[in-house]
Amino acid sequence: KRNCYTPMTTSNLQLILILFLLISCFSSQVMSKDEDCGAEESGHCVNKSKARKLQWTAFGSILATSVIGVCLPLLTTRFKALQPDRSYFVIVKAFASGIILATGFMHVLPDSFDMLSSACLKDNPWHKFPFTGFVAMLSAIFTLMVDSMATSVYSQKNKSVSKVDPGNKESNDDVTKDTEAVVIDVNNNMHFHGHSHHHGPKEGAESQQLLRYRVIAMVLELGIIVHSVVIGLSMGASSNTCTIKPLIAALCLHQMFEGMGLGGSILQAQYTKMKSGIMVFFFSAITPFGIVLGMLLSNVYKENSPTALITVGLLNASSAGLLIYMALVDLLAQDFMGPKLQGSIKLQLKSYAAVLVGAGGMSFIAKWA
């Protein structure tokens, strides 16, 4: 029997509410009657009917590659060499972490700088202050607050379950049962028996690490879906076939590799099948949903309108700060400063190489997306 203490019983509901609040806010903004200050698109590349066909192609392609990318790490438990406690998993996770880091630095942050420094915006205040850097900084600090406080709250709840009166045998037995419910052995599904003072410290450490993985997975998914709905919306609203064609291939690779990073975090969080499925669904469906939303709003959405530039620019800046923080602090630093990598210089070098390959590959894709 596999039991698991699950402190975040409302996390998925919170994620859904936050997502729809963002979408509702964004939709209300783009529906405003701002005029497009940019030049009208013209030439052989602008063809709305052909663009629609490409957009539906993008819908199916991106959905399929997103599912493949996020599910690949979840299927590695079938292969002993790729299980979370193996060196190969650490290397693959380092590769995926490099991809997420490059997504923040090379894709999301530059887009925000371009939008918030556009000539379409008023000189004051948008050209007088670096809003992109400011919002990204605030986003990183806010992510740290959420990361730290959520972990602290859930840790306190876990400690309250583990408290025991040493002189009370019945209490000892109760805590032993509670501790058994917290600890999960991925490889052989072991059950821990005996008195709590023999296993308590080890089990407490494993439970604490599991809580950290769960907070990381939820916060990382939130940052990714905010960015994904924005890029999907931009593609869906465009009628430029010359832009859409290379963007489809670039976004397919982008979503696949980014999904691998998220899938690795979901795997380590050891969610139930239902919760894992919900997170996979949201990641996979959010960019195609953004494409459909952009197609529906294509008649009123003007990507060079001040409202659209400000809204998308600020969302991108906040997403960039979140992704950069998560990649550096919760993914890379946690692994490289952990006992497994600290105990092997050879494994560190392989993991650094994987990070550089992942970041380099995603940076190269930035040429098109």
Side-chain angles (χ1 to χ4, degrees):
K1 181 179 178 181
R2 287 183 65 179
N3 295 318
C4 179
Y5 176 69
T6 309
M8 289 186 284
T9 56
T10 61
S11 56
N12 289 313
L13 178 60
Q14 292 170 349
L15 184 63
I16 294 170
L17 291 175
I18 292 172
L19 173 61
F20 279 99
L21 282 173
L22 286 170
I23 293 173
S24 299
C25 176
F26 184 77
S27 299
S28 64
Q29 291 292 327
V30 299
M31 289 292 288
S32 64
K33 303 236 180 235
D34 283 345
E35 294 183 359
D36 187 355
C37 71
E40 293 291 331
E41 288 184 315
S42 60
H44 68 281
C45 288
V46 179
N47 188 317
K48 192 168 185 178
S49 62
K50 288 184 178 180
R52 284 290 176 269
K53 294 179 182 178
L54 289 173
Q55 285 159 351
W56 284 117
T57 300
F59 178 93
S61 302
I62 292 174
L63 178 62
T65 52
S66 297
V67 171
I68 292 171
V70 74
C71 288
L72 275 176
L74 302 179
L75 298 176
T76 57
T77 53
R78 297 175 181 270
F79 304 97
K80 190 174 181 181
L82 293 175
Q83 289 178 351
D85 60 336
R86 301 287 177 168
S87 297
Y88 286 114
F89 180 84
V90 174
I91 295 172
V92 172
K93 187 183 176 186
F95 170 78
S97 300
I99 287 170
I100 293 173
L101 182 63
T103 298
F105 273 118
M106 298 300 297
H107 292 254
V108 190
L109 202 61
D111 286 347
S112 179
F113 272 114
D114 289 342
M115 291 175 181
L116 296 183
S117 62
S118 171
C120 298
L121 299 182
K122 293 181 180 179
D123 189 58
N124 189 21
W126 300 105
H127 294 186
K128 300 292 185 181
F129 186 78
F131 281 97
T132 293
F134 181 69
V135 172
M137 176 186 69
L138 291 181
S139 176
I141 295 173
F142 179 74
T143 306
L144 172 62
M145 290 172 57
V146 172
D147 195 5
S148 174
M149 294 177 69
T151 303
S152 178
V153 169
Y154 299 141
S155 297
Q156 292 299 324
K157 288 183 180 180
N158 190 36
K159 286 179 182 178
S160 66
V161 173
S162 301
K163 286 182 179 178
V164 59
D165 180 4
N168 190 335
K169 185 179 184 301
E170 292 182 2
S171 182
N172 280 340
D173 293 337
D174 290 340
V175 172
T176 302
K177 293 178 182 177
D178 289 335
T179 309
E180 290 172 10
V182 175
V183 180
I184 296 176
D185 191 311
V186 178
N187 296 325
N188 55 20
N189 199 21
M190 289 178 59
H191 290 269
F192 288 85
H193 299 280
H195 295 293
S196 60
H197 63 271
H198 287 295
H199 302 289
K202 181 180 179 180
E203 293 174 350
E206 291 186 21
S207 176
Q208 177 73 13
Q209 186 61 56
L210 181 60
L211 292 174
R212 288 289 303 124
Y213 285 144
R214 291 185 171 181
V215 172
I216 289 169
M218 292 303 302
V219 178
L220 180 60
E221 172 140 341
L222 179 60
I224 289 175
I225 62 177
V226 171
H227 167 57
S228 296
V229 73
V230 169
I231 60 178
L233 180 66
S234 299
M235 174 182 278
S238 176
S239 297
N240 192 322
T241 58
C242 296
T243 301
I244 295 175
K245 287 179 181 178
L247 197 58
I248 294 175
L251 288 181
C252 284
L253 291 173
H254 181 282
Q255 290 297 107
M256 178 179 286
F257 291 136
E258 200 169 50
M260 289 173 61
L262 178 61
S265 295
I266 295 174
L267 177 63
Q268 288 185 312
Q270 297 179 14
Y271 283 116
T272 61
K273 289 182 179 180
M274 179 178 289
K275 288 193 174 184
S276 298
I278 291 173
M279 296 185 74
V280 168
F281 170 78
F282 270 99
F283 170 77
S284 304
I286 196 63
T287 301
F289 172 79
I291 293 174
V292 174
L293 183 63
M295 292 166 64
L296 294 174
L297 297 175
S298 60
N299 291 328
V300 293
Y301 173 71
K302 303 297 182 182
E303 62 180 0
N304 285 326
S305 68
T307 298
L309 288 169
I310 292 169
T311 305
V312 177
L314 292 177
L315 283 175
N316 276 339
S318 61
S319 180
L322 191 155
L323 291 175
I324 291 169
Y325 169 87
M326 294 299 296
L328 288 175
V329 178
D330 282 339
L331 297 178
L332 292 173
Q334 179 165 278
D335 285 344
F336 278 96
M337 296 302 173
K340 190 172 186 66
L341 281 171
Q342 284 295 306
S344 173
I345 295 296
K346 185 178 180 180
L347 183 57
Q348 281 192 50
L349 292 176
K350 290 180 179 178
S351 299
Y352 279 124
V355 172
L356 292 174
V357 171
M362 187 56 70
S363 299
F364 180 72
I365 295 175
K367 181 178 180 181
W368 298 282

